Amino acid sequence: MAHSKRNTSLAFFTTHERSQLKSSWGSQSTRLTRDSFLPFASCNLCLQPSRSPVACASSGDIFCRECAVGNLLAQRKEIKRAEKVEERRRKGLQEEAKGKVEEERERSVVEFERTMMGLEGTGRRDGGHETEVKSERNGDSGGRGVKRKVFELDEEEMLRGAREERAKARKAIDEEK
């Protein structure tokens, strides 16, 4: 079978395609029966002639007073239900976040206790400035500098260390899961 017989990328319709379209497009018009039309002043909610009609000011739709009030109450009830579902979802997310923070805190406490007992983490980290050279002039020392370790811990270093520990605990928890 030649390729030209299966070619459907033409910019125009073939006679066969046009005949198929005529049967379903534009050539037949549908007739609207009497059932398609609502009687004048019928309610758009119950589709019956309206009892004590109320008109919508913005669009001009007509409703029964009972149907309109019932519909508004049902919408209000649905909105309240959706708000409760959303509130439960928010509370669940908050509790989950609190649980993660608590788990990170517990992990860091256990790690700290193990480090203090000498079970883990033999490397020691100082949060402040490492060393400072001070020269002491004694009569016999002749101006030699003496290296002393000075530990200065300010609030910024404490916060940085806490953030690093939380991130490390979070990463360890995620790796376990």
Side-chain angles (χ1 to χ4, degrees), residues 11-90:
F12 53 88
F13 288 138
T14 62
T15 308
H16 177 69
E17 291 170 337
R18 191 172 292 115
S19 66
Q20 283 184 334
L21 285 175
K22 278 186 181 178
S23 65
S24 61
W25 267 20
S27 63
Q28 294 179 348
S29 61
T30 57
R31 292 196 102 162
L32 296 176
T33 62
R34 190 173 178 155
D35 297 333
S36 301
F37 295 104
L38 292 175
F40 181 73
S42 62
C43 176
N44 287 342
L45 295 173
C46 68
L47 305 177
Q48 300 294 323
S50 58
R51 299 173 306 271
S52 63
V54 177
C56 179
S58 61
S59 62
D61 293 332
I62 298 175
F63 304 102
C64 299
R65 185 175 301 275
E66 294 174 28
C67 295
V69 170
N71 190 338
L72 290 174
L73 292 175
Q75 287 180 15
R76 186 179 195 187
K77 191 175 183 180
E78 179 63 25
I79 289 171
K80 283 185 179 181
R81 186 196 63 78
E83 286 175 350
K84 285 180 183 178
V85 167
E86 179 64 23
E87 184 65 29
R88 278 190 234 124
R89 187 188 68 80
R90 257 193 242 126

Side-chain angles (χ1 to χ4, degrees), residues 101-111:
V101 168
E102 188 63 33
E103 193 174 350
E104 291 170 8
R105 199 173 289 146
E106 288 176 21
R107 169 64 68 109
S108 61
V109 167
V110 168
E111 187 176 317

Side-chain angles (χ1 to χ4, degrees), residues 153-166:
L153 188 63
D154 58 348
E155 187 176 347
E156 184 178 311
E157 288 292 324
M158 291 283 289
L159 291 174
R160 184 184 59 78
R163 280 193 300 264
E164 287 175 0
E165 289 298 319
R166 274 192 234 116

